[in-house]
Amino acid sequence: MTRRISIFGATGSIGQSTIDLIARDPDAYETVALTGGRNIAQLASDAIKLGAQIAVTADEKRLAELRDALAGTGVEAAAGRQALIEAASRPADWVMSAIVGAAGLEPGLRALQTGATLALANKESLVCAGPLIMRTAQAHGTHILPVDSEHSAVFQALIGEDLATVERIVITASGGAFRDWPIEDLAKATPAQAATHPNWDMGQRITIDSASMFNKALELIETKEYFGVSADKIETVVHPESMIHALVGFNDGALMAHVGTPDMRHAIGFALHYPHRKSLPVERLDLVKLGQMTFRDPCETRWPALRLAREVMEAGGLMGAVFNAAKERALDAFIAEQITFPRMAGVVEEVLSDLSTYESHNPAEITLDKVAEADHLARVRADEIMAQ
Ligand code: NDP
């Protein structure tokens, strides 16, 4: 039986890896919607290749370009935020949520409301609106399958286990581009240097977030929201080889690790075939060739984002949405070379302190509108702080 699939953020790094897997078995899938942003040529060529019902660009100004590229192919073209939401509301069995940033929240939520299984790469959804996302999945009797490699690893280590026996979850971190730089040199780091990852091939924003560990910070919060464990049970460790993606420690002292080469098709393929395992076109790990794996303490002076993540987890409420939005604006400013690399954490810390009233929101009452408000105010405040 064919499965109806949609891919949000199809033109990005995760989207392309997902298409790579889908395209290897075309008869198994029927593509409903593919969405992208600025990369119209990629979006159109993939939509034609997979025979999608509809291709949507988030950028309204690019509709004519998309229409031209799809003329005579039978693939519908649409553009803009509303079109994106409409595409997410089309019935599908499996939806990949791989838009970058808070912009990925609403399409994922709509997909859950149709009853689709949501393969969730967009970690920002859980950071900004964890209780809302989890509640929506439950209300519609559907699953969220984590695609972040760390969370896929934890999910796999927990299969058949009782969550009450979990003592700790350890999320590994490569340490990113500046792992070995002297801390005093970080103020001179450029966006191009930050966007070079030692192990993973990912989109520009997440690669820079890996260097600052804001990506890891988001993942710690994502762990709390997805697995429902308290902040004191979630740890991180620097593991430069990126071969162990995460570990789960149980009450008998056992520590279960998920080990594999750094290729996102492991986690995407697992989510695509779940609850089954199918052969994947990923490199098999040669342990002898690897020789050794090393671990280091995650220094919070070098990576203050880790301390901020802990504060956000402890605060709860809508502080995740505030944290993410402030981080997105600080990252925009760093990419535009308006602020230095270390300043990003300073900006986020100030916004968290200024908008601490969002701590008091009851998780059961979090709505999309409240998340949007917190997100908006955090962006405004971040811009004000950076303009001073
Ligand atoms: P990319 O930047 O490579 O791709 C992002 C995708 O989102 C592209 O299709 C882009 O379109 C689209 N997009 C960008 N802005 C918007 C917007 N405002 N509205 C709608 N669509 C938009 O990102 P990644 O694939 O690296 O990451 C995607 C998500 O997955 C992120 O949340 C990231 O944290 C997460 N993730 C990524 C991993 C990785 O290995 N890359 C690993 C684990 C999680 P276009 O390019 O056409 O402009």
Side-chain angles (χ1 to χ4, degrees):
M1 212 177 78
T2 57
R3 286 164 78 204
R4 296 164 302 170
I5 59 128
S6 289
I7 305 172
F8 290 85
T11 51
S13 162
I14 292 285
Q16 290 294 296
S17 294
T18 308
I19 290 173
D20 175 77
L21 294 179
I22 301 283
R24 288 167 192 265
D25 194 5
D27 294 339
Y29 306 102
E30 183 188 322
T31 306
V32 178
L34 295 187
T35 84
R38 289 173 294 184
N39 192 345
I40 301 299
Q42 189 70 54
L43 178 62
S45 95
D46 287 331
I48 296 166
K49 179 169 77 178
L50 298 184
Q53 278 174 20
I54 186 167
V56 183
T57 163
D59 185 349
E60 287 184 18
K61 295 191 290 296
R62 292 175 202 252
L63 178 58
E65 193 187 334
L66 182 62
R67 277 207 179 116
D68 286 350
L70 293 174
T73 64
V75 181
E76 262 178 83
R81 189 74 191 158
Q82 266 322 106
L84 201 67
I85 303 305
E86 189 278 326
S89 307
R90 292 193 179 200
D93 300 305
W94 187 92
V95 172
M96 167 55 77
S97 166
I99 288 173
V100 64
L105 168 60
E106 193 174 355
L109 207 56
R110 297 292 171 212
L112 285 173
Q113 286 165 344
T114 70
T117 294
L118 190 68
L120 190 63
N122 178 268
K123 60 194 83 184
E124 296 88 346
S125 296
L126 282 169
V127 171
C128 298
L132 175 62
I133 286 275
M134 300 309 284
R135 194 168 76 221
T136 305
Q138 202 174 23
H140 291 84
T142 187
H143 295 290
I144 298 174
L145 298 170
V147 170
D148 234 335
S149 57
E150 295 78 1
H151 304 77
S152 175
V154 173
F155 184 95
Q156 294 181 52
L158 283 174
I159 290 174
E161 303 287 354
D162 176 358
L163 204 56
T165 64
V166 172
E167 272 183 357
R168 58 182 176 142
I169 292 180
V170 186
I171 301 291
T172 59
S174 70
F178 306 140
R179 182 178 65 208
D180 300 317
W181 279 37
I183 292 181
E184 55 279 13
D185 287 356
L186 292 178
K188 290 183 265 165
T190 67
Q193 288 168 324
T196 313
H197 199 281
N199 306 330
W200 293 93
D201 180 14
M202 308 187 286
Q204 180 206 37
R205 295 181 73 86
I206 184 174
T207 306
I208 298 176
D209 282 349
S210 295
S212 62
M213 286 260 202
F214 268 113
N215 179 50
K216 209 49 56 185
L218 296 176
E219 289 176 7
L220 296 176
I221 303 168
E222 183 185 7
T223 304
K224 171 177 176 267
E225 299 296 341
Y226 184 81
F227 296 104
V229 292
S230 54
D232 61 327
K233 289 187 172 178
I234 305 170
E235 302 169 14
T236 188
V237 64
V238 177
H239 168 44
E241 295 82 11
S242 295
M243 293 297 170
I244 296 182
H245 305 305
L247 308 98
V248 179
F250 294 92
N251 59 2
D252 60 356
L255 199 51
M256 306 292 283
H258 180 286
V259 190
T261 49
D263 181 335
M264 284 309 296
R265 292 176 304 173
H266 279 285
I268 297 168
F270 179 81
L272 184 61
H273 301 303
Y274 180 80
H276 308 290
R277 283 194 189 270
K278 287 202 179 166
S279 177
L280 293 173
V282 295
E283 189 189 338
R284 271 48 177 174
L285 183 58
D286 182 333
L287 290 169
V288 174
K289 207 159 121 197
L290 176 66
Q292 63 174 2
M293 291 193 274
T294 58
F295 304 92
R296 298 185 204 169
D297 190 42
C299 166
E300 291 189 358
T301 309
R302 178 182 292 278
W303 293 296
L306 298 175
R307 172 176 53 78
L308 298 179
R310 200 152 299 285
E311 289 169 13
V312 168
M313 286 192 284
E314 277 154 15
L318 279 167
M319 293 308 281
V322 171
F323 177 74
N324 179 66
K327 188 282 291 180
E328 287 193 22
R329 289 306 291 145
L331 177 58
D332 290 339
F334 172 65
I335 291 172
E337 301 191 45
Q338 291 160 352
I339 61 170
T340 65
F341 182 80
R343 181 70 186 128
M344 285 191 286
V347 171
V348 174
E349 184 158 18
E350 280 182 57
V351 176
L352 287 172
S353 155
D354 292 351
L355 297 186
S356 60
T357 48
Y358 279 104
E359 286 177 16
S360 56
H361 280 260
N362 179 347
E365 289 169 7
I366 289 177
T367 61
L368 206 49
D369 283 348
K370 286 182 182 166
V371 173
E373 180 197 284
D375 177 286
H376 173 70
L377 289 179
R379 283 170 204 266
V380 170
R381 190 69 201 113
D383 288 350
E384 285 168 358
I385 289 166
M386 290 188 286
Q388 281 164 12

